[in-house]
Amino acid sequence: MKILFVSSEVFPFSKTGGLADVAGALPAELTKLGHEVKVVTPRYKGLPSEATLPNSKTKVYFIENDDLYARDGLYQQAGVDYEDNAQRFIYFSRATLELCKRLDWKPDVIHCNDWQTGLIPVYLKSIYATDPFFHGIRSIYTIHNLAYQGVFPKETLELTGLSWDYFTMDRVEFWGKLNFMKSGLVFADMITTVSEQYSREIQTEEYGCGLEGVLQGRHHDLFGIINGVDYKVFSPDKDPMIAKPYTLKTLEKKNDNKKALLKQVGLPTKRGAALIGMISRLADQKGFDLVAEMIEALMVQNVQLVILGTGDPKYHTLLQALEVKYPKQLKAVLAFDAKLAQQIYAGSDFFLMPSQYEPCGLGQLISLKYGTIPIVRETGGLADTITDFDLAKDFEHELGNGFVFLDYSAQELLRTILRALVVYKDEKAWSKIRHNAMRCDFSWKASAKKYEALYRK
Ligand code: ADP
């Protein structure tokens, strides 16, 4: 099949979150399965105009328009969205379709991702529907995070080239505004999201962000496929970014990575202390309010915390204050730093992800591979990938690969970390859970086959 994969970010060229990881890995995996795959993305500052994905012959095309894309951020600067984001991604969507024509390359399927590409399925069924070149092209739309919908004032419709007939509540309108995500959900031939649990959750009022009705209406065309991890990038045995490579058999070397990490971030080595890592966008979604609420109670334990992230200024302020308060126990690096991220995955004992909601989550999957035990809230992809380790059970047969709590509360989070610390101190149980974690296989292969099956459908 011929597949066009459209994404507003693609690792290693551009990245703000998990979408980039998916766009950098899934197309390469589909190429391996024998498909002809092309990737399209904006040409942000400093990017080439054509490239291939690393270690793959998958071609990446960059849509160039320096006025729109050659900026320091992808979508925003200093926490504020660019005011012309609608224009930027309308242009991107139309240019993507025009590109197919210029290349005289007709895909069987156009795979769109998140709100930035939500208008493509609409265009295929409106403006471009009369052009024979586009006949028979199907679209699939993947929700990576339903909370970011690309909602713009009504007048924005003028920029899209669509007629006002489209501005109705069963099409692209959302409470008097233009909603890109909704547009994709209504017009795509098929919809996917990045875990089965999230595909169910988003049909409820609690998680549906106002689009639960639209999703319920399309539940026959809605599928959940868990993301994979690119183990070429994230594997402790061949990660060039970390102090000492290690495997399941040489797990003692993980401790050298812990020492190196503590040194790197300027924390003292404390005997017997468990090191908890967090790598995350600093957003309400990620549960930092819970961390703030229980931090005092946590800090009386023998633990240290390294947090890497950027985002909402209110969390920058909060983390800076905590760092001053607990200089020997807590370090917050407020930056986007891929190398340090890998050092944290390798050097930490635990990885904390107490998300309010989590479509898939990659942090916990990467952590597993590094033998770093996830402590997560039971939601979305976290619920689908992390199984609670119960010390009370006969743990020889225990499959648990992390620690899980359900109630979104600081108390539950604290209780779960304390439970994790008991296992940490129990040599046998600790060895068992780390083995369970490192043996998990979340490579892309299985998920790519599921996408392939949907494309065929
Ligand atoms: P989301 O897509 O919601 O941000 P995911 O867990 O799906 O969350 O993906 C986040 C990805 O971005 C992971 O690969 C994580 O390691 C990476 N990441 C997040 N914040 C940072 C940061 N400050 N520096 C480096 N990598 C980061």
Side-chain angles (χ1 to χ4, degrees):
M1 273 179 289
K2 288 189 181 139
I3 300 149
L4 182 68
F5 195 93
V6 195
S7 175
S8 58
E9 47 188 277
V10 180
F11 184 82
F13 307 108
S14 52
K15 171 165 169 173
T16 68
L19 169 61
D21 294 322
V22 175
L26 173 59
E29 202 64 41
L30 291 162
T31 301
K32 262 200 235 161
L33 290 174
H35 302 292
E36 196 180 329
V37 190
K38 296 185 194 295
V39 179
V40 192
T41 194
R43 187 182 182 210
Y44 300 113
K45 205 180 200 168
L47 295 184
S49 49
E50 228 182 276
T52 54
L53 292 178
N55 309 311
S56 169
K57 53 183 195 292
T58 316
K59 259 200 176 167
V60 185
Y61 292 85
F62 298 88
I63 302 292
E64 177 181 306
N65 183 324
D66 285 351
D67 287 341
L68 296 181
Y69 308 127
R71 303 180 186 175
D72 290 326
L74 267 52
Y75 317 120
Q76 50 171 237
Q77 186 138 28
V80 182
D81 283 350
Y82 293 128
E83 57 181 26
D84 58 350
N85 271 348
Q87 190 187 354
R88 297 171 78 223
F89 291 103
I90 289 168
Y91 183 92
F92 175 60
S93 299
R94 293 199 67 161
T96 294
L97 294 172
E98 296 293 338
L99 171 75
C100 296
K101 268 192 105 161
R102 299 278 177 94
L103 295 174
D104 195 20
W105 186 78
K106 181 175 174 174
D108 298 300
V109 177
I110 301 186
H111 189 150
C112 306
N113 295 278
D114 271 355
W115 73 262
Q116 291 87 349
T117 61
L119 289 180
I120 291 177
V122 189
Y123 284 138
L124 285 172
K125 289 186 177 158
S126 57
I127 298 171
Y128 289 81
T130 49
D131 184 337
F133 179 85
F134 292 95
H135 280 180
I137 298 180
R138 301 291 178 202
S139 63
I140 184 161
Y141 181 82
T142 299
I143 306 164
H144 296 262
N145 191 334
L146 190 62
Y148 300 85
Q149 298 182 359
V151 179
F152 300 98
K154 184 175 178 177
E155 306 75 66
T156 312
L157 194 90
E158 304 274 5
L159 297 175
T160 64
L162 294 168
S163 81
W164 283 101
D165 295 345
Y166 282 81
F167 200 72
T168 58
M169 62 178 277
D170 58 343
R171 290 181 156 180
V172 305
E173 185 204 342
F174 183 71
W175 303 104
K177 294 186 170 170
L178 171 62
N179 184 323
F180 281 43
M181 171 77 77
K182 177 177 173 178
S183 306
L185 298 179
V186 170
F187 283 88
D189 293 300
M190 211 175 252
I191 303 165
T192 73
T193 188
V194 288
S195 67
E196 286 183 20
Q197 176 71 13
Y198 193 61
S199 78
R200 291 186 289 269
E201 287 171 350
I202 55 179
Q203 296 179 55
T204 67
E205 200 183 330
E206 186 185 353
Y207 291 98
C209 305
L211 292 177
E212 59 275 13
V214 178
L215 288 159
Q216 284 159 16
R218 296 219 56 193
H219 76 275
H220 288 301
D221 305 315
L222 171 62
F223 302 87
I225 300 179
I226 195 84
N227 286 335
V229 174
D230 189 348
Y231 289 137
K232 286 201 293 294
V233 181
F234 296 107
S235 273
D237 59 329
K238 47 177 180 276
D239 186 338
M241 309 281 199
I242 67 176
K244 272 252 174 80
Y246 59 94
T247 63
L248 198 50
K249 289 204 182 100
T250 58
L251 206 45
E252 68 285 350
K253 288 194 195 145
K254 184 166 164 60
N255 210 36
D256 297 326
N257 289 293
K258 180 172 176 178
K259 279 190 200 140
L261 172 62
L262 289 170
K263 195 164 167 211
Q264 165 84 12
V265 300
L267 286 176
T269 313
K270 286 183 76 204
R271 216 186 145 81
L275 181 58
I276 302 176
M278 271 184 102
I279 303 167
S280 174
R281 285 183 295 113
L282 302 180
D284 291 336
Q285 175 199 343
K286 301 292 184 178
F288 286 99
D289 51 341
L290 298 191
V291 175
E293 209 182 317
M294 48 69 94
I295 195 86
E296 232 156 295
L298 181 63
M299 287 293 136
V300 302
Q301 302 291 325
N302 194 12
V303 296
Q304 292 173 301
L305 214 65
V306 177
I307 302 175
L308 171 64
T310 54
D312 195 330
K314 78 177 178 211
Y315 292 119
H316 284 229
T317 314
L318 172 81
L319 291 175
Q320 272 161 342
L322 290 178
E323 194 181 65
V324 172
K325 203 165 165 194
Y326 304 103
K328 290 186 177 149
Q329 279 181 282
L330 191 149
K331 179 73 194 178
V333 181
L334 304 176
F336 196 94
D337 184 338
K339 184 170 179 189
L340 182 58
Q342 269 154 268
Q343 291 164 346
I344 294 174
Y345 286 122
S348 305
D349 299 302
F350 294 101
F351 189 79
L352 191 57
M353 232 168 143
S355 307
Q356 275 172 27
Y357 70 92
E358 194 60 74
C360 172
L362 287 174
Q364 87 281 16
L365 300 180
I366 298 170
S367 297
L368 288 173
K369 188 71 179 173
Y370 284 79
T372 301
I373 303 306
I375 300 173
V376 306
R377 182 161 171 261
E378 192 178 344
T379 180
L382 298 173
D384 282 357
T385 56
I386 306 302
T387 310
D388 193 62
F389 187 89
D390 188 350
L391 194 55
K393 282 195 205 152
D394 166 18
F395 63 75
E396 284 306 317
H397 304 289
E398 168 67 82
L399 293 174
N401 58 3
F403 297 91
V404 180
F405 65 100
L406 182 59
D407 265 3
Y408 190 76
S409 77
Q411 242 178 349
E412 270 307 298
L413 171 59
L414 180 63
R415 218 193 314 237
T416 308
I417 296 179
L418 296 181
R419 213 155 49 78
L421 291 176
V422 173
V423 172
Y424 180 67
K425 288 184 199 121
D426 182 325
E427 208 176 309
K428 260 181 141 177
W430 184 239
S431 163
K432 177 72 179 162
I433 192 171
R434 291 219 278 191
H435 276 70
N436 288 351
M438 290 181 84
R439 284 213 190 95
C440 291
D441 181 6
F442 288 101
S443 56
W444 265 106
K445 206 168 171 190
S447 295
K449 286 200 169 141
K450 289 185 184 163
Y451 279 107
E452 182 186 48
L454 287 188
Y455 297 153
R456 285 201 199 287
K457 223 170 163 181

